[in-house]
Amino acid sequence: QNALYQSCHEDENDVQTISHKCQVVGREHYEQLTRGRRYQDRQDLYYLAGTYDPTTGRLVTADGVPILC
């Protein structure tokens, strides 16, 4: 939950489909923030879990560990 993967994939989206900004931080920072009351229920806070390459289908964690799918 709240994990995002970066990718070089691009899409064109109509500006009307954007609902709000979000904040993406590293996993450690995310865990520090969510320990406090202020960030526990935030729906706009995410952490970078890794990288996805759509051309190869390769998924790699932020620590550089490949994930086999």
Side-chain angles (χ1 to χ4, degrees):
Q1 187 175 342
N2 290 12
L4 296 179
Y5 286 84
Q6 66 182 345
S7 174
C8 61
H9 177 78
E10 293 181 16
D11 277 330
E12 285 192 29
N13 296 297
D14 192 62
V15 70
Q16 296 156 338
T17 64
I18 300 170
S19 63
H20 62 283
K21 292 191 289 183
C22 68
Q23 183 178 3
V24 181
V25 297
R27 177 84 187 244
E28 286 184 28
H29 192 197
Y30 174 83
E31 289 176 359
Q32 288 174 347
L33 290 172
T34 55
R35 281 189 203 116
R37 277 193 175 146
R38 181 176 171 197
Y39 287 95
Q40 280 182 348
D41 295 325
R42 283 192 50 178
Q43 306 236 335
D44 61 348
L45 180 63
Y46 299 88
Y47 69 90
L48 182 61
T51 304
Y52 173 69
D53 184 342
T55 59
T56 63
R58 188 169 186 217
L59 196 58
V60 179
T61 68
D63 297 330
V65 178
I67 298 174
L68 301 175
C69 299

